[in-house]
Amino acid sequence: MLKKDHNDLLTQTGPDTPFGRMFRCYWIPALLAEELPEPDCPPVRVKLLSERLIAFRDSDGRYGLMDEFCAHRGISLWFGRNEECGLRCPYHGWKYDVTGQCVDMPNEPEHSAFAKKVKLKSYPLVERGGVLWTYMGPAEQQPPLPEYEFATVPAPQTYTSKRFQECNWLQAMEGGIDSSHVSFLHRGDINTDPLFKGARGNQYNLGDLRPVFEVVESAGGLFIGARRNAENGHYYWRITQWVMPSYTIIPPRGTHSVHGHFWIPIDDENCWAWSFDYHPTRALTETELTAMRAGKGIHAKVDGNYRPLANKDNDYLMDRAAQKAGKTYSGIEGFAMQDASLQESMGPIIDRTKETLVSTDSGIIMARQKLLRAIKAFTEQGVVPPGVSLEHQRVRSAAVVLPPDQPFKDAAREALIVHPGVAPASV
Ligand code: FES
Ligand SMILES: [Fe+2]
């Protein structure tokens, strides 16, 4: 349970809110690189942290992200002409470069210098790992580019997708650190999904429905350890990483690729669920890539606007027969929409004053506390929040079987840090 003012604090990320200001300390994923595939391609509307922006790629291939609306009389520049190194407003021809600087004002006298004085708000937009990242905070505090492992391994080793989710970012993110739902909601898929099946760890997952959680603070967020019984008195540990504000890495399974998420607020009632799959030491296979593109694993089938084909307008294609037969536990197909359907069913912003939390929710409780502490320190003393540092970003999840007397965070210490070229610790 959370008091109302704390719930408001954690769910509001517009420009004039405390968390909104803190969220702007991080580089965040803004678009897939495929959305701006070539110079002078069509501009794309982008809404992030409640700000309406336009992204485009100029004739030289440079990326720009700026205020969606023309400084003259507020036309959406989505209608703009992307030509000759700038985006030109179709109403009276004002033209902007990738920094938002007005570079041409053809309806003004020829020698007017007024264009120089007009500049739209703009943010950097940089490609890394197939994702276009932006930083929306004060320019003088811009941190170095992000180094999450999925974005730094060679391109053949990584795949990222995104999907529109119709609820506040926090309830989506809380699903990502809630390891106990996997044995219920996803139980029908663990042994059948091509990106999950066959791992030894799956049997521990399905065989012990009452995991014991041990959550330990990390520098950038939390290690969320879920312990289940293995054979001979040993424990099967699944250790999820959460790095502030919203990066999570799911523990690996067998030799499968490693997956995880980013949840990025569009506004307070919608978010982008970013889903990545990568392997630290090998290229993804054609079979894996085909499955990912087909919406298997944690990915989803989406339309041209990245909205899932199974969505709340069609009851997520609920299949009661599959539910009854146990083919899927909830009747919804696929990990991504199993999660999203339930998270959206909470309403756009869940009222956390009415929850009943139990011991398996300890990861969620500690994440909220860590966020609240960070917002306070940032707001009152300007303390840079956890997760901005590159060291905090260079972490991994792990799945390990350990003797009962070994604390997971000591026994798996090295497995929880990125070691380039070293395979993940996985069962
Ligand atoms: S509204 Fe854009 S140039 Fe006039
Ligand atoms: Fe899930």
Side-chain angles (χ1 to χ4, degrees):
M1 185 202 138
L2 209 55
K3 287 187 291 192
K4 183 182 180 307
D5 55 336
H6 282 169
N7 200 30
D8 292 347
L9 203 54
L10 291 178
T11 53
Q12 296 173 2
T13 57
D16 299 319
T17 61
F19 198 5
R21 280 189 283 274
M22 192 175 85
F23 228 113
R24 285 164 173 77
C25 292
Y26 301 90
W27 282 94
I28 56 173
L31 298 124
L32 285 165
E34 69 181 27
E35 294 179 75
L36 293 175
E38 61 197 15
D40 289 335
C41 59
V44 179
R45 296 185 191 96
V46 182
K47 191 175 186 192
L48 288 174
L49 306 177
S50 300
E51 289 185 47
R52 287 183 64 173
L53 306 166
I54 194 90
F56 74 107
R57 198 166 177 192
D58 76 7
S59 314
D60 293 336
R62 286 180 297 223
Y63 295 106
L65 181 64
M66 61 193 189
D67 194 345
E68 181 184 339
F69 303 99
C70 180
H72 180 212
R73 281 173 48 213
I75 294 307
S76 169
L77 291 168
W78 180 79
F79 293 94
R81 302 175 56 88
N82 190 5
E83 58 190 17
E84 294 160 349
C85 273
L87 190 59
R88 193 182 286 282
C89 177
Y91 215 5
H92 315 94
W94 291 20
K95 182 176 171 184
Y96 303 90
D97 70 13
V98 287
T99 70
Q101 177 65 50
C102 183
V103 291
D104 192 17
M105 215 173 252
N107 61 340
E108 274 289 279
E110 208 168 335
H111 298 294
S112 161
F114 189 60
K116 284 200 186 69
K117 297 197 180 124
V118 176
K119 188 170 188 298
L120 294 174
K121 176 182 64 187
S122 75
Y123 301 118
L125 191 64
V126 180
E127 194 275 339
R128 176 159 277 202
V131 173
L132 300 180
W133 302 80
T134 191
Y135 165 77
M136 295 167 68
E140 62 283 4
Q141 285 157 27
Q142 182 177 315
L145 286 172
E147 292 206 348
Y148 307 101
E149 191 175 26
F150 82 94
T152 56
V153 293
Q157 295 174 211
T158 189
Y159 174 83
T160 300
S161 69
K162 70 173 198 180
R163 63 177 163 79
F164 181 61
Q165 184 159 339
E166 298 173 59
C167 70
N168 183 262
W169 78 281
L170 184 63
Q171 66 210 50
M173 197 275 283
E174 288 179 345
I177 55 177
D178 164 24
S179 189
S180 98
H181 79 276
V182 177
S183 313
F184 299 93
L185 180 61
H186 304 313
R187 67 176 302 121
D189 299 74
I190 288 179
N191 276 334
T192 56
D193 187 282
L195 300 169
F196 279 69
K197 68 182 180 188
R200 183 156 63 93
N202 296 354
Q203 300 327 310
Y204 305 132
N205 235 156
L206 295 171
D208 184 351
L209 302 184
R210 300 179 198 280
V212 176
F213 275 72
E214 252 178 57
V215 187
V216 180
E217 279 223 40
S218 66
L222 297 174
F223 301 118
I224 299 156
R227 190 187 87 195
R228 292 176 171 86
N229 293 321
E231 42 292 276
N232 304 324
H234 282 43
Y235 291 137
Y236 169 62
W237 283 97
R238 292 184 61 73
I239 309 159
T240 301
Q241 290 269 7
W242 170 63
V243 179
M244 278 182 52
S246 63
Y247 177 62
T248 60
I249 321 175
I250 301 164
R253 291 177 188 276
T255 55
H256 287 301
S257 51
V258 185
H259 23 250
H261 297 283
F262 250 112
W263 282 278
I264 299 299
I266 294 172
D267 50 33
D268 294 344
E269 300 196 344
N270 299 281
C271 65
W272 287 116
W274 287 83
S275 306
F276 59 82
D277 251 286
Y278 75 102
H279 198 284
T281 57
R282 64 165 174 86
L284 301 177
T285 66
E286 214 33 65
T287 312
E288 285 173 324
L289 286 167
T290 304
M292 292 167 197
R293 290 186 196 113
K296 299 293 183 190
I298 62 166
H299 306 278
K301 282 182 253 180
V302 295
D303 66 15
N305 295 316
Y306 299 96
R307 188 183 192 216
L309 301 183
N311 56 56
K312 68 178 180 187
D313 295 341
N314 54 27
D315 279 332
Y316 309 91
L317 307 174
M318 165 61 83
D319 182 345
R320 293 287 178 193
Q323 186 189 52
K324 196 161 234 169
K327 191 164 165 277
T328 56
Y329 193 70
S330 77
I332 306 298
E333 191 188 324
F335 291 87
M337 297 321 297
Q338 286 161 4
D339 286 323
S341 57
L342 302 189
Q343 292 156 6
E344 291 181 4
S345 79
M346 298 166 172
I349 305 177
I350 185 180
D351 178 356
R352 292 183 173 77
T353 65
K354 294 184 177 149
E355 296 168 327
T356 313
L357 299 183
V358 292
S359 61
T360 51
D361 297 310
S362 52
I364 291 171
I365 295 167
M366 283 181 67
R368 294 175 187 175
Q369 287 167 347
K370 183 148 184 149
L371 285 170
L372 289 168
R373 279 200 309 276
I375 295 170
K376 189 168 168 15
F378 171 76
T379 306
E380 293 176 3
Q381 294 153 43
V383 176
V384 177
V388 171
S389 152
L390 298 183
E391 205 186 310
H392 299 174
Q393 299 170 8
R394 295 190 201 109
V395 296
R396 282 183 180 172
S397 58
V400 288
V401 174
L402 297 174
D405 55 343
Q406 288 191 13
F408 79 80
K409 83 170 203 323
D410 299 333
R413 180 186 305 275
E414 288 305 311
L416 295 169
I417 302 169
V418 171
H419 292 292
V422 175
S426 179
V427 177

